[in-house]
């Protein structure tokens, strides 16, 4: 399709004819929304994945939650709710302090904040009276810069900066899929027929890992191999 437009009909037709099982969209929010809307209308059931330049909630707002649900979005910054990450705590604290109007604290906001913070660091390193060349040299000289639990690296041949990658999926409400969207009461899993041993192993392995290549234990075996020292420092997140 033609870049910076929403003229996607021809592309949608080709994708539908190909019977693709998955489609990666390199498009902005408006084009991604139109791709998904027309594809679903054409009966295409492929898994659509788009880059972080697409704002997932905005897609849902444009075409409706029911059409947008299931859209996967690659993310290059941590989850805005992941307060275990120092930079996310900083952003949340500043967001609550300044309370910007009509602004949503989402992945797009986090990406912009980090970009601004890296730019400010480049200007600081460029010194007084920074020129375009001085700023470029300063940015390319950044190595292993701790921006708050995430590290930034640049060089003359590497302008990527961060290597963080994650994937989020929109739920039926047009929001990021959460563990809250599934059953959160252990009794629900029992009533659905999950064996007690499976639930036990699932809970036990949250935040704790066994050094061997194994993830199923009896209770007696778990007691024997468990060591407090092997509990992960980062901690797990269970929305229950």
């Amino acid at each position: 399709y033609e870049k910076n437009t929403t003229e996607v009909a021809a592309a949608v037709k080709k994708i539908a004819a190909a019977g693709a099982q998955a489609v990666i969209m390199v498009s902005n929010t408006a084009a991604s929304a139109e791709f998904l809307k027309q594809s679903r209308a054409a009966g295409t059931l492929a898994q659509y994945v788009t880059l972080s330049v697409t704002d997932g909630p905005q897609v849902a707002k444009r075409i409706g939650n029911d059409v947008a649900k299931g859209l996967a979005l690659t993310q290059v910054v941590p989850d805005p709710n992941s307060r275990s990450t120092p930079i996310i705590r900083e952003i949340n604290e500043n967001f609550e302090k300044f309370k910007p109007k009509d602004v949503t604290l989402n992945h797009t906001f986090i990406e912009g904040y980090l970009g601004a913070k890296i730019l400010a660091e480049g200007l600081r390193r460029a010194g007084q009276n920074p020129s375009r060349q001085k700023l470029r040299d300063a940015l390319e000289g950044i190595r292993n810069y701790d921006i708050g639990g995430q590290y930034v690296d640049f060089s003359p041949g590497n302008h990527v900066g961060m290597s963080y990658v994650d994937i989020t999926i929109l739920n039926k409400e047009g929001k990021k899929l959460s563990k809250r969207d599934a059953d959160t009461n252990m009794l629900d899993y029992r009533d659905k027929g999950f064996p007690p041993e499976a639930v036990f192993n699932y809970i036990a392995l949250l935040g704790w890992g066994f050094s061997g290549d194994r993830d199923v234990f009896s209770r007696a075996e778990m007691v024997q191999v468990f060591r407090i020292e092997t509990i992960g420092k980062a901690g797990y997140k269970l929305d229950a």
Side-chain angles (χ1 to χ4, degrees), residues 9-162:
V12 168
K13 186 176 180 179
K14 287 184 179 180
I15 291 171
Q21 294 181 323
V23 178
I24 299 175
M25 298 186 289
V26 183
S27 49
N28 59 26
T29 299
S32 295
E34 194 63 25
F35 260 116
L36 196 57
K37 177 183 176 181
Q38 293 192 25
S39 293
R40 294 302 184 232
T44 302
L45 300 178
Q47 171 64 62
Y48 274 77
V49 183
T50 187
L51 306 185
S52 63
V53 293
T54 290
D55 187 322
Q58 282 298 317
V59 170
K61 186 176 181 180
R62 285 170 177 266
I63 64 177
N65 297 340
D66 192 56
V67 179
K69 68 180 179 182
L71 174 65
L73 304 101
T74 59
Q75 305 293 355
V76 294
V77 293
D79 190 315
N81 298 312
S82 180
R83 288 181 179 252
S84 61
T85 305
I87 185 60
I88 300 302
R89 287 202 302 272
E90 174 189 317
I91 293 173
N92 273 273
E93 289 168 3
N94 284 330
F95 193 87
E96 292 167 5
K97 179 180 179 180
F98 296 104
K99 295 181 172 57
K101 292 182 179 180
D102 302 320
V103 177
T104 302
L105 182 53
N106 54 22
H107 285 87
T108 303
F109 184 95
I110 301 296
E111 194 168 345
Y113 187 103
L114 294 184
K117 188 163 185 174
I118 293 170
L119 175 59
E121 178 63 18
L123 289 169
R124 185 188 70 79
R125 296 187 183 205
Q128 294 183 348
N129 302 316
S131 64
R132 179 177 179 179
Q133 187 61 50
K134 286 182 179 179
L135 176 59
R136 181 187 179 96
D137 291 343
L139 287 170
E140 291 181 342
I142 291 177
R143 301 284 191 280
N144 202 35
Y145 171 53
D146 185 355
I147 202 171
Q150 297 293 321
Y151 292 86
V152 179
D153 275 291
F154 287 117
S155 72
N158 173 29
H159 290 176
V160 175
M162 290 173 54

Side-chain angles (χ1 to χ4, degrees), residues 216-229:
V216 178
F217 300 85
S218 68
R219 296 196 181 207
E221 291 170 335
M222 183 73 74
V223 171
Q224 184 176 12
V225 301
F226 178 80
R227 297 292 183 274
I228 191 70
E229 296 82 6

